[in-house]
Amino acid sequence: ETGVTQTPRHLVMGMTNKKSLKCEQHLGHNAMYWYKQSAKKPLELMFVYNFKEQTENNSVPSRFSPECPNSSHLFLHLHTLQPEDSALYLCASSQDLAVGGIYGYTFGSGTRLTVV
Amino acid sequence: DQQVKQNSPSLSVQEGRISILNCDYTNSMFDYFLWYKKYPAEGPTFLISISSIKDKNEDGRFTVFLNKSAKHLSLHIVPSQPGDSAVYFCAPRGSSNTGKLIFGQGTTLQVKP
């Protein structure tokens, strides 16, 4: 158990579907992140939240919509995705932004998303 | 334009020998450099980091070396163990305010018994 739990582990969705990815941490961390890992590509930062406030949107298309209702939970709402959005989506958390950049984040195991 | 490059996609070493994983970067403003390790079906786990004001940091079997003039860092694992077989990512901190990490493509290490 890594301390960061992501559900579901696997998701197959059609291009017209709406689905949500969930991330939960009980580590008392205040910063949470969404990363995307496509095949043969490095992990790419998507969004950063610090104390529930979004601090970074890395030019992510609007078909990805994050939500952070509290410091323990982070969602990624998906709608009208494309097949090229198929990837591993990783959630992570850190004590705060500065600590995350020095001592690393705690990552979840990820959601493997396939868009058909 | 990739700011972080791990040019060796894979590396194979014998158990007990040294593993050396390399990482090159282009941005001289990076102030911290992190290494992550990832097993299949799991998220990456933090391994070790180094500040840009240092040239070496050691933690048990793991040592990271930083050569700022060459914009190069390396991770040494001595002695290598079969359980070290994983994908290793180099991840400099992009900005001190955002906590943003910029990941390399990763190097798959296989340690043979």
Side-chain angles (χ1 to χ4, degrees):
Chain A
E1 178 58 56
T2 64
V4 177
T5 304
Q6 288 187 245
T7 54
R9 291 295 304 272
H10 300 273
L11 178 62
V12 179
M13 61 184 288
M15 290 188 284
T16 58
N17 290 161
K18 288 185 180 181
K19 296 286 184 183
S20 295
L21 308 185
K22 180 182 176 182
C23 176
E24 185 174 359
Q25 57 91 8
H26 296 290
L27 300 169
H29 290 171
N30 297 303
M32 296 188 78
Y33 313 79
W34 279 116
Y35 273 83
K36 173 185 178 182
Q37 187 177 27
S38 304
K40 308 293 184 186
K41 285 188 173 183
L43 275 76
E44 298 173 77
L45 180 67
M46 299 176 73
F47 302 102
V48 180
Y49 278 82
N50 192 39
F51 291 92
K52 302 189 300 177
E53 298 298 320
Q54 186 179 126
T55 58
E56 182 141 354
N57 175 338
N58 201 27
S59 302
V60 181
S62 60
R63 58 185 183 271
F64 295 90
S65 175
E67 179 190 2
C68 189
N70 54 61
S71 291
S72 299
H73 294 86
L74 185 64
F75 295 89
L76 188 62
H77 304 299
L78 316 170
H79 63 97
T80 59
L81 294 192
Q82 305 298 312
E84 57 264 30
D85 296 321
S86 299
L88 178 68
Y89 289 85
L90 288 159
C91 173
S93 70
S94 64
Q95 184 62 45
D96 56 41
L97 296 181
V99 169
I102 298 173
Y103 300 110
Y105 316 143
T106 301
F107 277 92
S109 298
T111 295
R112 175 68 63 185
L113 173 68
T114 303
V115 182
V116 296
Chain B
D1 182 33
Q2 268 187 286
Q3 297 188 66
V4 182
K5 291 185 180 180
Q6 294 177 254
N7 292 317
S8 298
S10 62
L11 175 67
S12 181
V13 300
Q14 207 66 36
E15 181 179 6
R17 305 295 292 269
I18 185 172
S19 296
I20 300 176
L21 299 108
N22 295 303
C23 177
D24 295 297
Y25 61 96
T26 58
N27 190 339
S28 59
M29 298 304 291
F30 291 149
D31 64 348
Y32 272 91
F33 301 84
L34 286 69
W35 282 94
Y36 274 84
K37 172 180 175 180
K38 184 180 185 301
Y39 292 117
E42 295 183 14
T45 55
F46 171 71
L47 194 57
I48 191 171
S49 64
I50 187 169
S51 163
S52 60
I53 63 173
K54 295 187 175 181
D55 54 19
K56 177 182 175 182
N57 188 28
E58 188 172 353
D59 183 3
R61 297 186 297 114
F62 302 90
T63 303
V64 57
F65 294 92
L66 176 63
N67 182 334
K68 281 182 292 184
S69 60
K71 295 192 178 69
H72 176 85
L73 67 157
S74 60
L75 175 68
H76 293 212
I77 307 174
V78 182
S80 301
Q81 300 173 354
D84 296 328
S85 298
V87 180
Y88 289 80
F89 295 97
C90 168
R93 181 167 78 163
S95 165
S96 60
N97 294 328
T98 68
K100 176 179 178 178
L101 298 180
I102 301 172
F103 284 80
Q105 310 96 304
T107 296
T108 300
L109 173 66
Q110 182 185 26
V111 180
K112 298 179 179 178

